[in-house]
Amino acid sequence: MKASKVLSTISRRDLFKLTGRYGISSVVMGAAGLTGAITLPNIAKAAESEYEKRFANEPKHTLTLGAAGFNPQNLLIERAGVLTFARDLEERTEGEIRVEFVGDNQICGQLSCAEKAQLGVIDMYSASTQNSAGSTPYLNVLDYAYMFRTRADQYHFLYSPESMDLLRNPLEERHGLKFLFSHAELRGIQLGNSFADRGPITSVTQLAGTKNRVTGTQLGRIAMELMDLNPVPVAWEETLDALRTGLIDGAETWASAVAYANMAPAVTQSVDLGFFCGTEHTGMNAAVFDAMEEYLQEAIMESAYLAQVFVQHANEAALVNTVGFTDPPMPGTIFAENDVAVSIFTDEARKEAEEMCSPEFQPAAWEQWRERINGWAGGRDTYQEIYDLVRNGNPHTIAENVEPRRWWRSA
């Protein structure tokens, strides 16, 4: 049974008591495995059992994983795979590695998780690459407008051995972070109340002049400026209030982020512009990884691979069955229950937006950042190589059909 449904049956006070006694990781993992009656004693018993299993052996390494705004409930809306990774790593290493999960912005937020991992305050982290780009600017390499056509393209790249030289190795060498795995969606514009009665948005030109929240990515701003979407820097934690108060007309983010952050009541229309990555990734301090025994390093990579496969399939299902990112949203989904309309652009409308903002059609606007990123990648033409890779090497348009590969072994 879903941990979110189990934990929602107990009071916040009782939940705090359980997590204080057994730790959030043990409570979440125990609750996720419940199959019997959902009562506080049964949840407590499951948490105790999980705690005893996890703490049966003294670990060689205890790693703290800071997970921005995530908690057990919203990890079952956006399937970012963080707890799947942590649990598998503990079991795979028979407790030699213990992962302490700290979510809900308790130890770091979207803008600070990667930086705190760089500084060694935490060992592992989960946050969007776009918000992390403020402290780790090489992550902008994922954010060229319309470099990826579909979520299938994104997963194909994440599994590819080419991702080592184009993403992972430069990130590690320049910023000291090891990119483990990521969820994959494409960003659109999530419109607030000012668009409640305007009908479906079918062209980006209908949004000209609106004010829209932008993440920490520098490349995202370039695309928004070219499409006259007036990027306004707003911290993720403040975006909901900004939408509610009308400070902004919309927010640049992806569908499951709207759902997990309880933003759906403030959003009237999710516009599937799909213009650059929404990638909630999990990584770790590279020095911590390098200090591990070789067999534990391999265990970390295998758990990351398992989590990547899990995320690829689970999030695709959740987008339809939990979030409601279809036109129209399925009954019972978060978008349906909050009257969020979904506007999926036609190929022609997406091409119109692409010609307005992508490096393919507007190269001068991207030249400075493109040269900078290419320099960090040892002179590789990062945009062109990724663009060509996903168009020439990926036969799939449906994300769940992309073949998983152990990217680090085949490199």
Side-chain angles (χ1 to χ4, degrees):
M1 182 172 292
K2 290 184 178 180
S4 58
K5 291 185 177 180
V6 174
L7 295 178
S8 67
T9 65
I10 65 175
S11 70
R12 192 172 181 85
R13 181 178 180 181
D14 287 333
L15 181 60
F16 279 140
K17 285 182 180 179
L18 286 177
T19 57
R21 183 171 182 180
Y22 301 115
I24 184 64
S25 298
S26 297
V27 173
V28 172
M29 293 174 186
L34 268 182
T35 57
I38 303 173
T39 65
L40 178 58
N42 284 350
I43 296 172
K45 184 176 180 181
E48 181 181 20
S49 174
E50 191 69 34
Y51 177 87
E52 289 175 350
K53 181 176 69 175
R54 295 179 66 233
F55 286 79
N57 299 316
E58 190 66 25
K60 283 188 176 182
H61 306 277
T62 299
L63 306 179
T64 301
L65 197 168
F70 280 126
N71 57 45
Q73 287 86 347
N74 57 37
L75 280 169
L76 286 157
I77 298 172
E78 180 183 302
R79 307 303 284 263
V82 187
L83 288 173
T84 300
F85 167 74
R87 185 172 192 172
D88 183 77
L89 183 57
E90 289 185 347
E91 293 178 351
R92 188 182 297 273
T93 62
E94 296 183 343
E96 289 192 46
I97 294 178
R98 184 181 298 161
V99 181
E100 294 302 335
F101 172 85
V102 186
D104 264 347
N105 298 307
Q106 293 180 62
I107 199 168
C108 62
Q110 280 285 352
L111 296 176
S112 63
C113 278
E115 184 177 18
K116 288 192 174 183
Q118 286 176 292
L119 295 172
V121 177
I122 55 179
D123 305 298
M124 296 177 163
Y125 68 99
S126 182
S128 84
T129 63
Q130 289 72 39
N131 279 315
S132 302
S135 62
T136 55
Y138 188 74
L139 286 172
N140 277 279
V141 72
L142 293 172
D143 297 339
Y144 294 108
Y146 289 103
M147 182 170 65
F148 298 105
R149 301 163 297 178
T150 62
R151 297 189 297 272
D153 279 353
Q154 292 172 285
Y155 284 117
H156 177 80
F157 175 70
L158 291 171
Y159 283 125
S160 71
E162 291 86 352
S163 72
M164 295 297 293
D165 287 339
L166 293 170
L167 169 63
R168 301 170 194 272
N169 290 339
L171 179 68
E172 187 168 341
E173 291 162 5
R174 184 166 185 84
H175 300 303
L177 296 176
K178 197 166 192 69
F179 190 110
L180 295 176
F181 61 93
S182 183
H183 117 296
E185 290 183 51
L186 291 167
R187 291 174 178 267
I189 299 297
Q190 320 301 322
L191 295 170
N193 290 328
S194 60
F195 279 79
D197 301 317
R198 296 201 191 182
I201 299 299
T202 58
S203 166
V204 70
T205 59
Q206 294 173 261
L207 300 175
T210 56
K211 293 187 299 182
N212 298 280
R213 173 259 183 183
V214 67
T215 57
T217 170
Q218 289 84 352
L219 268 61
R221 289 179 174 85
I222 296 173
M224 293 178 72
E225 287 166 356
L226 289 170
M227 291 187 288
D228 195 19
L229 295 178
N230 294 324
V232 179
V234 178
W236 177 243
E237 293 79 9
E238 299 170 3
T239 302
L240 177 57
D241 284 341
L243 278 172
R244 281 174 171 165
T245 60
L247 178 66
I248 53 177
D249 298 299
E252 161 265 286
T253 188
W254 61 88
S256 67
V258 171
Y260 93 68
N262 197 30
M263 200 180 291
V267 170
T268 59
Q269 191 170 163
S270 179
V271 181
D272 184 25
L273 193 55
F275 64 118
F276 73 102
C277 272
T279 33
E280 198 87 51
H281 78 308
T282 296
M284 71 180 294
N285 181 293
V288 172
F289 179 89
D290 291 341
M292 295 274 181
E293 296 85 346
E294 187 175 346
Y295 72 98
L296 293 179
Q297 291 179 348
E298 186 64 18
I300 291 170
M301 296 309 298
E302 286 294 331
S303 290
Y305 174 73
L306 178 139
Q308 186 64 80
V309 176
F310 166 83
V311 168
Q312 174 192 359
H313 296 90
N315 200 64
E316 285 301 301
L319 278 170
V320 174
N321 298 321
T322 304
V323 176
F325 192 49
T326 56
D327 181 18
M330 287 178 57
T333 59
I334 292 170
F335 277 9
E337 291 178 349
N338 289 278
D339 295 321
V340 178
V342 176
S343 294
I344 297 176
F345 272 16
T346 64
D347 291 343
E348 292 76 16
R350 188 164 294 207
K351 186 69 172 180
E352 175 188 40
E354 181 180 355
E355 291 179 354
M356 291 173 67
C357 72
S358 80
E360 196 73 7
F361 295 94
Q362 306 292 338
W366 300 86
E367 184 176 0
Q368 183 178 2
W369 264 100
R370 189 169 175 176
E371 289 182 358
R372 184 177 300 169
I373 293 170
N374 291 348
W376 294 335
R380 305 283 292 265
D381 188 347
T382 51
Y383 167 74
Q384 197 63 53
E385 289 194 41
I386 298 173
Y387 181 97
D388 291 342
L389 171 70
V390 299
R391 282 160 179 76
N392 299 331
N394 174 29
H396 303 292
T397 57
I398 299 175
E400 58 263 38
N401 289 345
V402 174
E403 179 186 359
R405 289 184 287 173
R406 288 174 171 81
W407 55 91
W408 70 99
R409 286 190 183 173
S410 50

